[in-house]
Amino acid sequence: MKRMHPLSLQEDYVLNRKGTESPGSGAYYQHREKGVYVCKRCDAPLYLSSHKFPSQCGWPSFDDEITDAVERRPDGERTEILCRRCGAHLGHVFSGERATAKNIRHCVNSISLSFVAAFTDEGYERAIFAAGCFWGVEHLMKACQVVVRTTVGYIGGHIVNPTYEEVCTKATGHAEAVEIIFNPNLTDYKTLVKYFFEIHDPTQWERQGPDIGTQYRSAIFYLTEKQRDTALEIIEVLQNQMDVVTAVVPAGPFYPAEEYHQRYYEKTGQEPYCHRRNKIFL
């Protein structure tokens, strides 16, 4: 199953016909927000905001990439970089300039990218967790006093804008997940990660209770290096108690599920059938 975003004429010129946008014209050239840069065509995660640095070259510059996200190809005397998932043209990579300690620069067209922000316009932080059926995960997460709002949806697959019926075929690769918006002045990401591990069984591979399939996998989708490091730190502690199979992977776009899935247990008055809180942290 394949589905990607339609492209404008200018986007097609850059991503498909390997063109270049004018220097200094791109939306992400001076961009400083925290989050994840993804492919404009297929939404594959490509770069973290912590990889980005000011090079004054006229295009967004990154001195690292998300593992296995970017493909390199010879292009005359230069090296072209492309999205590994869909082959979209990103720009070129250069080494030996010593602009950063990593001594590499991915020179990327803004128009080849979209951005997934780690923080909302109000300054709230975003967390994205998958732990089986999203109805139960949302229901228990909403019980946290510090959670501003929640949304259930899909993330981690290889087509854009999936539907529930498509995700259920197990052909899209998406996980059922919950996007949590919280106030970082009232709590921290670490507290939410601990709570996440207490409301599901992180030792179950691609299932949660009676629900079986890749869409029910346990996963943390991080939006910053700090979120990634926090999740890995907690998993390391838990490994002394149990065999944790939770994946920690970069977030791409979160696609909200259909309205009838939102706040399902609140609407129906029922209770989760495969989620409950089991305190494992003091």
Side-chain angles (χ1 to χ4, degrees), residues 138-207:
E138 181 187 43
H139 187 69
L140 291 179
M141 278 292 182
K142 281 178 67 66
C144 291
Q145 297 287 329
V146 295
V147 170
V148 177
R149 58 183 178 270
T150 59
T151 305
V152 300
Y154 318 109
I155 192 172
H158 52 262
I159 70 168
V160 305
N161 298 318
T163 66
Y164 180 67
E165 288 73 19
E166 290 172 337
V167 171
C168 286
T169 68
K170 302 177 176 59
T172 73
H174 289 87
E176 290 192 13
V178 179
E179 177 190 65
I180 298 158
I181 307 299
F182 68 98
N183 188 338
N185 295 318
L186 299 180
T187 191
D188 58 12
Y189 183 75
K190 187 173 186 177
T191 298
L192 288 182
V193 173
K194 287 182 175 180
Y195 188 75
F196 158 78
F197 279 113
E198 291 184 336
I199 65 171
H200 81 294
D201 183 352
T203 69
Q204 295 194 19
W205 176 251
E206 295 191 347
R207 69 176 297 170

Side-chain angles (χ1 to χ4, degrees), residues 129-143 150-154 164 168 176-178 199 211 215-216 257-268 270-275:
F129 300 132
C133 175
F134 48 23
W135 296 344
V137 180
E138 181 187 43
H139 187 69
L140 291 179
M141 278 292 182
K142 281 178 67 66
T150 59
T151 305
V152 300
Y154 318 109
Y164 180 67
C168 286
E176 290 192 13
V178 179
I199 65 171
D211 294 328
Q215 74 268 37
Y216 300 119
E258 296 80 355
E259 178 56 31
Y260 69 90
H261 287 297
Q262 308 297 332
R263 303 169 303 283
Y264 180 81
Y265 285 121
E266 181 182 317
K267 292 174 179 176
T268 62
Q270 301 177 26
E271 291 293 326
Y273 59 89
C274 63
H275 291 91

Side-chain angles (χ1 to χ4, degrees), residues 53 55 57 61 93-100 103-107:
F53 69 96
S55 66
C57 70
S61 295
V93 62
F94 303 92
S95 61
E97 298 175 335
R98 303 191 182 280
T100 72
N103 200 25
I104 195 166
R105 176 170 62 91
H106 290 241
C107 184

Side-chain angles (χ1 to χ4, degrees), residues 122 173 176-177 227 244 280:
E122 308 102 307
E176 290 192 13
Q227 287 190 354
V244 177
I280 55 178

Side-chain angles (χ1 to χ4, degrees), residues 51-72:
H51 299 154
K52 194 172 186 292
F53 69 96
S55 66
Q56 311 306 321
C57 70
W59 294 272
S61 295
F62 305 86
D63 68 355
D64 207 344
E65 70 212 66
I66 291 172
T67 303
D68 295 329
V70 177
E71 180 181 351
R72 292 164 169 77

